[in-house]
Each structure stands twice: as C-alpha cells, then as structure tokens.
Amino acid sequence: MMALNGTPAADTPLLEVRTLSVAYGRKAVALNAVNLTVPKAGVVALLGANGAGKTTLIRTVSGLIRLHNGAITGGEVLLEGKSIAGLSADRIVRLGMGQVPEGRLVFKNLTVEENLQVGGAILPRATLAERLDAVYDLFPRLAERKDQAAGLMSGGEQQMLALGRALAASPRVLLIDELSLGLAPLIVGAIYQQLKKIREHFGTALLIVEQNARLALGICDYAYVLERGEIVLAGPAELVAASERMHESYLGARAERQAAAG
Amino acid sequence: MSIFIEQFLQALTSGIQLGCIYGLMCVGLAFIFGIMGVINFAQADFMMVGMYLVLAIVGSLLASSFLGPVAPFLAAFLIAPLMFAIGYLLHRWLIVRTTGLRIANQIEAHQAQLILTLGVALILQNGALILLGSAPASIISPLSYSAWEIPLLFDDFSALFINKARTYDAIICVAVTLALYWLIRSTRVGKSLRASADNPTAAIYMGIDVDRAHRIAFGLGTAIAGVAGGLIVLYYPVQPLVGFDFLIIMYAGVVLGGLGSLIGAFWGGFVIALVQQLATLVLPLQLQNATVFIVFLLVLLLRPQGFFGRHVERA
Ligand SMILES: Nc1ncnc2c1ncn2[C@@H]1O[C@H](COP(=O)(O)OP(=O)(O)OP(=O)(O)O)[C@@H](O)[C@H]1O
Ligand SMILES: [Mg+2]
C-alpha cells in the first residue's frame, strides 16, 4: 500500500478495519489484508472499480458477509475499539452502524413515514419523533411525501429516503454504498450536498463507497483506493485527488488522453 | 313468494355469520403467506387442533359450570396464546430451516416449505387419529339453541331466526380480524413485520431480526387458525380429518381476496360462505361446493389479481 502523508485522528477511531481478509466460498479471495479507519465524525471515501471488493468490505463490516456465503479469513473489525466481527447484523445496527445499501432497497409497500419509522425502530418512541423531525428538516421532499408508498417515488427520492431511513436510527457511522448508481448527475449532486449537511447537523461519520471518484473526493477528508481486494492508495482527499495513480485510473486522465489521441 | 323471501333472508343470515368465520380462517393463512411467503398446508389442521382444545376445555365440567354459556367463547381465546406458542416453536425448530435469507434458492425453498408443512399436516391428522380416534365430537352451548326472532312484516307468521352462538362467533371473528389489521398497520411490531415481508435484506440492514419476525408471524397465523377452529366447533363437529373441509375454502378465499391482502382474504372467505349458503336455496346440497368453485373461477377470469390484489412499483 502506498501511504500518502497524514493519518486520520489519532485517538480511538470510530470504525477500524485491521488487516481484514475475506473470501467467498473456498478460495475466491475478495479482500486481502485491508486496513481502513473512519475517525469520529469523519468522512471517508472508499474508491475502486467494479469488482474491487467495496461492497464486500461493507458487508463484512455490517455483519452480512455470511449471508452471502463469505467468511472472514483474517484480521479484525472494531467499532470504538470493540470487535464486532462475529456479531449478527441487527446487533451491529444497534451499536450505531447505519446502512444505506447498494440499490437503495427502500420498503416499497410501506409509506415514506413508515420507512423512516422502521429505520428508527431501535430508538425509544419519544426520541424517534424528534429524530424524524430532524430528518424531515434535512429532506423536506420526504416530508411532502410522507404518506406516499415508497415504491412510487423517483429514484432520487428513494435514495433520499434510504439515507433518511438510516439516519432515523441516530447512527454514529453511516455506510453508504454506491449512492450515485443509476441516478442523474444533477440529482446525485444535490444528494451529495445533503451528505455534507448530515455531518454538520448530526455529527455522523460517513464511509462513502463510490465508483465515481471525483464526486466522493469532493466531500471526503480521507480516501482509500481498493483494487482487486487490496488497498493500493490511501491519504487525505486532496493528496489522493492529486496523485498520479488516481489520475491515470479513476479521474479520467487516461480516457481524456485516449480521446485526444483517437 | 313470502316463503322464498323468508328462506332467502335466513340463508343470507347464515351466510353472513359463517362468512365471518371463513373470513378469519382465510386471514390466518393470508397473514403467514403475506409476511413470510410460505403457503402453510397445515393451517387447516391447526384449526382442528384448536377445535379439540376448546372441546377439551369446555368438556372439563369445571369450565362450563363456572362460566356457563360463554365458556366456549372464552375457551377459544384461552387457547390463542397456546396456539401462538405452538406456531412460534414450530417455526423455530422446523420451518426456519426452509425460510429466510440464508436460503440461496428461493424456488427450491418453496418446495421444501410445501413438503414440510404438508408433513406437519399429516402428523397432526394422524396423531389426532391415534390419540383421539375417528369418531366426530362436538360441543354445544345453551346459546346454540337460542335465537333472536325477528318478525317479518309481510305476514303474521314469518320470522327470521338469528342464532345467538353464531352471531357471537361472527362478532368475535370480525373483532380479531380488525385487531390483527391494527397490529400490522399501526404498531412497531407490525411495521417491522411488514418491512421484513417487503424487503428482508433491507430489514436486516435496519436491525430487524427477520427470523424472529417470521416466528412471530407464524405464531400469530397459527393462533388465528386455532381461534377460528375454536369458534367454529360450536356448529361443526370435529374429527381428525376435519381440516380437509376447510382447506379448499381457505385457499379459494385467499386467492379471491388477492394474495397477501388481509382484508381481501377476509372478504374472500366471506363471499365464499355467502355463495355457499345462498346456493342451498336453488341447488341440491351436494352442489354447494361446486358453486363456490364456479364463482371462484369467474372472479379469477375477470379479475386475476383478486378483489384486493395490488402491487406498489413504479411503472
Ligand atoms: N456472493 C458472492 N459470491 C462469490 N463471489 C462474490 C460474491 N459477491 C462478490 N463476489 C466477488 O467478490 C469480488 C468483489 O465484489 P464486490 O461486490 O465487493 O465489488 P464492488 O467493489 O462492490 O463492485 P461494484 O462497484 O461493481 O459494486 C468480485 O470479484 C465478485 O465477483
Ligand atoms: Mg458494490
């Protein structure tokens, strides 16, 4: 791994992945000795191309890897210094890990409000009501559509709902997988603006998984680049954005050059 | 003419009374299917178990002498927690092996569920045959014999008789259905059950224990079957294979109502009872069930998604 200058905050990090290795089935290694740290209230991006292992990392951190016939073959996952590697997914959620899954996965037959209520069901009733108000403040569009079935909303609205639903549980860290997938650039831009606000309003740490490196680098403090299951580059957002390797493979320099040559 | 009107009103009354019980039967089956996608072939045999349990409670002299005419109705409620526990544990030990997200191939899972619940049904039927024998048994409450008599206005001697026991049965069935509907619509547990049904993967991401949600759903569905059985035993003798009489009605009712819809399932069962009872006016008794199927097929031809079937998805 090529480490660029600067590391995230030094005290116990919120989420820490240590030399984590994961395999599907017998030998399909998907992650190899991955190290990754999300500091309190930090915004961290995990970048990489198709099949790099980003979703695998998220699944492992959230306790869902066994469901997909995968297993941890080495290393640790720590939430505030405590190992969460063997815990069930619902336990991990209760410990403060919020999920915005790949493909949004809103509850289509439930109303917008019900989606949020289910998202916040781990909170006591009184706290939940306040929390929902805060979510509605952040996403006024959701408030307008409270009683609509979630399946009838547009893709962008469903993505907002998936975010709001995860936020409803007052998580300490949000895992956001491929938020931009299948959405128009304009909408993606708007939702990324909301992500900034999430940190400001709620102090929630974010682990943002993205193929679209430019987008994620625009809002994160720190970025990791995953290639074929290994971290090949890590550092503060500006340094990663400026790095040669990043330009070559992800920020389109090569593509631009090819277009110019061709 | 007046004789026919009298008969018609009488059949309509029985249809409505029986309809509420059929409705509740169908609600139990639809509930399990709606939440976990499992077609439970043992549902009618859970009814049989409920019938025998109520029989046992009321048959012990103690209960009936204490509680008098309402004993059978109270017994039907008393067995609900027991039936819930039976369903809950059955899911925990057996059904769970064929359901949930761990099962990779959902189509094969359906086959496994089918065979498993069919096996449970056979064990219940044959277990009851061994333990209790094949002779039908029944109970009666003093209320089974009493009726409200409503004089019909067109002459002096025609009257409509509304059986009290059946009326109480019907009211309880409607109340239980509404209670379940409220539970699933408005409570926290209900919402997490619906979320688990809607998207199990996402439900897990929200911290819901989906297997537990399924256990609860299976327990509730079983309890409803038990209560419906416990109520119908007042006018339907019980024997170990009595489930067959209800099985077809339940499936037809649930499909009529639109798979998975609770209120739809209730109306499905209701309509079937109505058709069945009204058919007795014009057709020989043996053809009662044939008319049910003719109506069933007609509805499916005209409205394949059932009365209440719908699906929320962006076009
Ligand atoms: N359930 C599974 N069983 C076996 N192999 C899997 C499974 N899920 C993923 N893989 C493999 O693991 C590797 C990493 O996949 P992963 O889904 O983590 O990539 P990703 O970075 O999220 O890609 P994308 O950007 O396309 O979502 C891929 O080679 C993939 O084929
Ligand atoms: Mg992915």
Side-chain angles (χ1 to χ4, degrees):
Chain A
M1 166 179 131
M2 182 193 341
L4 303 170
N5 288 332
T7 42
D11 55 338
T12 332
L14 189 53
L15 176 66
E16 193 178 2
V17 173
R18 275 198 208 145
T19 58
L20 182 70
S21 297
V22 173
Y24 289 107
R26 276 274 176 79
K27 49 182 192 261
V29 177
L31 291 179
N32 188 11
V34 167
N35 287 299
L36 180 146
T37 302
V38 181
K40 293 193 176 88
V43 176
V44 172
L46 179 61
L47 310 173
N50 281 118
K54 306 182 297 294
T55 299
T56 303
L57 183 85
I58 297 263
R59 279 177 187 158
T60 310
V61 168
S62 50
L64 290 167
I65 193 69
R66 260 175 302 169
L67 209 62
H68 296 271
N69 292 318
I72 298 178
T73 53
E76 287 186 291
V77 181
L78 305 171
L79 188 64
E80 297 205 299
K82 291 192 200 87
S83 173
I84 55 167
L87 299 184
S88 67
D90 55 288
R91 284 288 307 283
I92 294 177
V93 172
R94 280 159 209 278
L95 291 173
M97 189 103 66
Q99 301 276 353
V100 183
E102 193 173 358
R104 304 183 265 282
L105 312 186
V106 297
F107 300 117
K108 292 195 161 111
N109 292 292
L110 273 60
T111 66
V112 168
E113 175 127 312
E114 287 172 340
N115 267 272
L116 297 180
Q117 286 167 339
V118 170
I122 61 171
L123 297 182
R125 249 165 261 270
T127 334
L128 177 63
E130 274 171 40
R131 187 74 187 177
L132 289 198
D133 285 341
V135 171
Y136 283 136
D137 277 348
L138 190 64
F139 298 110
R141 181 70 70 87
L142 296 183
E144 288 163 25
R145 306 256 160 149
K146 247 185 205 177
D147 299 318
Q148 185 167 30
L152 297 176
M153 305 219 297
S154 74
E157 288 166 341
Q158 289 190 16
Q159 187 64 67
M160 284 183 208
L161 180 57
L163 266 171
R165 181 180 64 177
L167 279 174
S170 298
R172 276 179 291 178
V173 54
L174 261 192
L175 309 182
I176 304 173
D177 197 357
E178 218 89 51
L179 183 149
S180 63
L181 209 70
L183 297 182
L186 211 63
I187 293 167
V188 174
I191 297 178
Y192 262 83
Q193 290 309 310
Q194 308 285 31
L195 287 186
K196 280 190 193 164
K197 282 204 207 155
I198 287 176
R199 173 177 29 191
E200 290 161 18
H201 284 257
F202 299 115
T204 315
L206 308 176
L207 176 58
I208 300 174
V209 168
E210 256 306 343
Q211 276 194 50
N212 186 335
R214 202 185 297 275
L215 259 176
L217 287 171
I219 76 159
C220 70
D221 316 320
Y222 205 87
Y224 294 83
V225 179
L226 201 56
E227 263 179 28
R228 281 188 225 91
E230 297 187 19
I231 301 282
V232 293
L233 184 63
E238 321 80 64
L239 294 184
V240 169
S243 78
E244 183 78 5
R245 180 164 202 154
M246 204 60 208
H247 267 269
E248 281 294 321
S249 327
Y250 299 99
L251 294 175
R254 184 197 291 158
E256 276 163 30
R257 233 181 301 126
Q258 276 169 354
Chain B
M1 181 61 203
S2 69
I3 270 289
F4 182 78
I5 293 179
E6 186 184 343
Q7 281 178 345
F8 173 80
L9 289 176
Q10 202 62 60
L12 189 68
T13 310
S14 335
I16 292 171
Q17 288 167 330
L18 189 63
C20 293
I21 297 198
Y22 282 7
L24 185 64
M25 278 160 46
C26 295
V27 162
L29 185 68
F31 184 68
I32 291 180
F33 180 78
I35 302 291
M36 15 191 325
V38 169
I39 299 174
N40 180 19
F41 275 97
Q43 192 73 4
D45 302 292
F46 287 147
M47 281 184 71
M48 178 269 290
V49 174
M51 291 169 91
Y52 272 116
L53 284 175
V54 165
L55 202 73
I57 293 177
V58 176
S60 75
L61 285 169
L62 203 64
S64 23
S65 56
F66 262 142
L67 303 167
V70 291
F73 303 100
L74 283 179
F77 273 110
L78 277 179
I79 64 165
L82 182 63
M83 293 298 295
F84 178 86
I86 291 174
Y88 189 93
L89 294 175
L90 192 68
H91 181 272
R92 164 163 237 153
W93 290 328
L94 284 179
I95 312 286
V96 70
R97 290 163 202 273
T98 63
T99 60
L101 286 171
R102 251 164 289 113
I103 311 300
N105 185 334
Q106 289 297 330
I107 302 206
E108 277 176 20
H110 282 311
Q111 293 168 1
Q113 291 155 11
L114 236 114
I115 292 165
L116 180 58
T117 57
L118 207 57
V120 171
L122 289 174
I123 289 172
L124 289 176
Q125 288 164 13
N126 291 290
L129 272 174
I130 293 169
L131 292 175
L132 306 162
S134 60
S138 56
I139 49 167
I140 33 171
S141 148
L143 291 174
S144 305
Y145 298 125
S146 50
W148 291 288
E149 188 179 340
I150 298 178
L152 295 174
L153 294 175
F154 44 76
D155 58 38
D156 293 337
F157 47 88
S158 304
L160 186 62
F161 289 92
I162 301 179
N163 184 296
K164 288 187 180 168
R166 293 182 179 204
T167 306
Y168 293 142
D169 267 9
I171 292 171
I172 295 172
C173 287
V174 172
V176 171
T177 302
L178 290 176
L180 186 75
Y181 186 73
W182 169 80
L183 176 104
I184 196 80
R185 281 286 131 194
S186 309
T187 66
R188 265 191 181 200
V189 174
K191 282 172 196 165
S192 58
L193 288 181
R194 277 193 291 138
S196 311
D198 190 297
N199 192 326
T201 314
I204 291 183
Y205 279 118
M206 296 303 115
I208 294 170
D209 182 341
V210 172
D211 281 339
R212 179 167 169 273
H214 285 176
R215 281 200 294 280
I216 293 175
F218 205 80
L220 281 173
T222 307
I224 286 170
V227 171
L231 291 172
I232 210 172
V233 74
L234 271 177
Y235 52 100
Y236 211 101
V238 55
Q239 38 92 10
L241 304 183
V242 73
F244 286 120
D245 298 355
F246 302 129
L247 194 68
I248 306 290
I249 292 171
M250 274 198 231
Y251 286 105
V254 168
V255 173
L256 264 191
L259 286 171
S261 156
L262 280 195
I263 299 298
F266 185 88
W267 286 123
F270 191 85
V271 165
I272 286 178
L274 220 52
V275 169
Q276 220 183 38
Q277 296 302 307
L278 290 177
T280 55
L281 291 178
V282 285
L283 292 172
L285 207 60
Q286 298 91 307
L287 284 180
Q288 229 186 23
N289 282 330
T291 49
V292 169
F293 283 104
I294 290 167
V295 172
F296 177 64
L297 291 177
L298 276 179
V299 172
L300 283 195
L301 272 178
L302 301 174
R303 203 177 147 74
Q305 71 273 43
F307 297 147
F308 284 72
R310 79 195 163 99
H311 201 65
V312 177
E313 192 87 53
R314 260 174 93 86

